Amino acid sequence: MSTEKILEVFHHIHENPELSNEEYETTDYIFEYLKGEGFNPVKFKNITGLYCDMGTFDGNHPKIGVRADIDALYQEVDGVKRANHSCGHDAHTGMVVGAMLKLKDHEALDSRGVRFIFQPAEELGTGALAVAEEGIIEDLDYLFGIHLRPIEEAAMGEASPSIEHGSAATLQFRIVGEDAHGARPHLNHNAIEIGADIVNMLSKIHINPVIPSSVKMTKFISGGKSLNIIPGIAECGIDLRAQTNEEMDNLKNRVFKILEYVEDFYGVSIKDQEFSSIVASESNEDAIQFLREGIIEALGEENLMEPITTTGGDDFHYYTVKYPGLKGAMIGLGCNLKPGLHHPDMTFDHDALENGSEIIYQSILKVK
């Protein structure tokens, strides 16, 4: 029965995607669904999303958090730009609800408290910090998460007790100069040429080669319908990745120095800078061990993988960085996911939903 309910939740979330910080109907759906199953969910006060407590919350028993993310990406699907669940958040929500149903009325709740967190805005990298501001993380001892993995990282039926994400960041800005007539290129600096120089300079950034990293321009909009105008303005975006928080700081500093140089050399302004980032994982060995035991219980030791290291990112890790005493780790779930995360046509084996739900459930029981 729990498998059918997991699929019910998954399909509803999948068919009704909402963007980050706009998950109003998603929040209402999860809230009403949990109430209908006899739980007592609580909506967040200042943001979308909700949480639900089960078990015993006192100073004598462990307190475990389990986090699911609920937002969708914005991308073009079949020629239409729309919200789309191509990162698996619909699956994560279904699996966490499934774990709640398995745990309901379990005697283990007499000796532990479990807080199930349905977090908004993971795709913006801001949701975890916003949830932390709601004041529901401080009293937790452990925090577990789960994420579908692409087929090249994990096969169907396998699972890892931790995903070691790197740090990821984005920087948006505008090059602001003056337009000029196409016949008078000496009267301005071409924003397109400036952008090309920035791309070239980004490629010359070198940090410790032992640590995976990358930095690249991912957005550039300049010019208009009149092709005899040399544009002086451009909208730009840069994506930064580093496997450690220290090297991300290094990468970030180098990028800002490039922009400062461009301003000075070309006499233009770099305006409206918006920098956002998520930290690299700082997983806890105790949490990893409980997840390891949960995977063995659910799938068998032969399907237990080593921790997965990936250059992708997840704002889940803000929780453990912000609260150093919080012991956290994220399950990596094999599910035959292809052609890849964030691909508009991403698919995976839905039988994996029961696997993930069972792992979460068994891992909670392992915590003493």
Side-chain angles (χ1 to χ4, degrees):
M1 181 61 71
S2 64
T3 301
E4 293 176 6
K5 291 185 176 182
I6 293 169
L7 287 168
E8 177 187 349
V9 172
F10 163 72
H11 285 301
H12 180 92
I13 302 295
H14 183 80
E15 293 164 7
N16 298 276
E18 293 182 297
L19 301 178
S20 301
N21 294 321
E22 299 177 15
E23 311 95 331
Y24 302 108
E25 292 184 8
T26 302
T27 299
D28 289 343
Y29 171 77
I30 298 169
F31 182 85
E32 294 300 331
Y33 188 91
L34 294 179
K35 284 189 68 176
E37 291 290 341
F39 297 104
N40 295 300
V42 179
K43 292 182 181 180
F44 293 131
K45 297 176 181 178
N46 303 303
I47 56 175
T48 48
L50 65 152
Y51 71 97
C52 186
D53 287 348
M54 299 174 65
T56 305
F57 281 79
D58 58 30
N60 301 317
H61 300 97
K63 297 175 287 295
I64 308 154
V66 180
R67 175 270 217 172
D69 31 21
I70 64 173
D71 56 326
L73 288 156
Y74 182 71
Q75 59 187 165
E76 185 172 311
V77 184
D78 298 327
V80 179
K81 290 185 176 180
R82 62 176 179 84
N84 185 45
H85 276 295
S86 58
C87 197
H89 295 184
D90 44 1
H92 307 161
T93 301
M95 289 186 286
V96 168
V97 170
M100 296 177 68
L101 295 171
K102 293 173 186 286
L103 197 61
K104 186 178 177 181
D105 299 324
H106 198 291
E107 61 182 12
L109 294 175
D110 295 335
S111 58
R112 72 209 69 202
V114 190
R115 177 165 293 156
F116 293 91
I117 301 164
F118 297 90
Q119 178 205 299
E122 189 282 325
E123 296 297 354
L124 294 182
T126 60
L129 291 176
V131 169
E133 291 299 316
E134 293 285 313
I136 67 159
I137 304 298
E138 293 94 328
D139 58 341
L140 297 178
D141 301 305
Y142 298 92
L143 184 66
F144 299 152
I146 191 166
H147 206 298
L148 305 183
R149 302 318 302 158
I151 194 168
E152 61 267 22
E153 289 185 5
M156 175 64 186
E158 296 180 331
S160 167
S162 76
I163 307 172
E164 300 307 324
H165 286 106
S167 177
T170 59
L171 173 63
Q172 295 191 70
F173 60 92
R174 295 171 67 236
I175 300 169
V176 181
E178 300 292 337
D179 290 350
H181 194 286
R184 298 174 178 82
H186 61 293
L187 296 182
N188 82 333
H189 289 292
N190 188 333
I192 296 174
E193 294 176 350
I194 295 173
D197 277 353
I198 293 174
V199 170
N200 188 49
M201 285 186 277
L202 291 176
S203 71
K204 301 299 187 293
I205 294 177
H206 299 294
I207 62 174
N208 188 342
V210 175
I211 299 173
S213 66
S214 70
V215 55
K216 58 277 185 189
M217 187 88 77
T218 54
K219 176 184 178 182
F220 191 88
I221 302 173
S222 187
K225 293 183 177 181
S226 299
L227 300 184
N228 61 346
I229 295 175
I230 302 171
I233 297 174
E235 297 179 16
C236 307
I238 294 174
D239 178 270
L240 305 87
R241 307 272 165 169
Q243 200 60 46
T244 68
N245 294 318
E246 293 76 15
E247 288 303 325
M248 173 56 78
D249 288 340
N250 189 4
L251 208 58
K252 173 185 172 183
N253 291 337
R254 299 287 295 276
V255 169
F256 278 105
K257 285 182 180 179
I258 287 173
L259 297 185
E260 290 172 5
Y261 170 80
V262 165
E263 278 190 308
D264 181 63
F265 184 80
Y266 285 106
V268 296
S269 297
I270 304 296
K271 292 187 176 181
D272 302 329
Q273 297 183 37
E274 295 183 16
F275 183 84
S276 63
S277 65
I278 52 178
V279 295
S281 60
E282 296 185 4
S283 304
N284 176 268
E285 286 301 322
D286 291 343
I288 291 173
Q289 181 57 31
F290 288 130
L291 295 180
R292 185 179 288 118
E293 293 173 8
I295 291 169
I296 292 172
E297 193 72 35
L299 304 180
E301 190 164 5
E302 68 276 11
N303 291 310
L304 171 67
M305 301 177 65
E306 293 298 316
I308 294 171
T309 299
T310 175
T311 53
D314 197 293
D315 79 346
F316 172 88
H317 306 293
Y318 269 126
Y319 293 114
T320 51
V321 170
K322 184 176 178 64
Y323 301 102
L326 180 64
K327 299 176 180 180
M330 176 178 279
I331 302 158
L333 185 68
C335 57
N336 282 348
L337 188 153
K338 51 190 176 182
L341 291 166
H342 289 205
H343 190 285
D345 299 318
M346 183 273 278
T347 62
F348 68 96
D349 189 332
H350 294 174
D351 288 341
L353 294 172
E354 174 60 31
N355 291 349
S357 178
E358 184 69 13
I359 292 169
I360 296 169
Y361 165 68
Q362 293 293 346
S363 299
I364 291 169
L365 298 184
K366 297 298 179 182
V367 178
K368 300 290 191 294

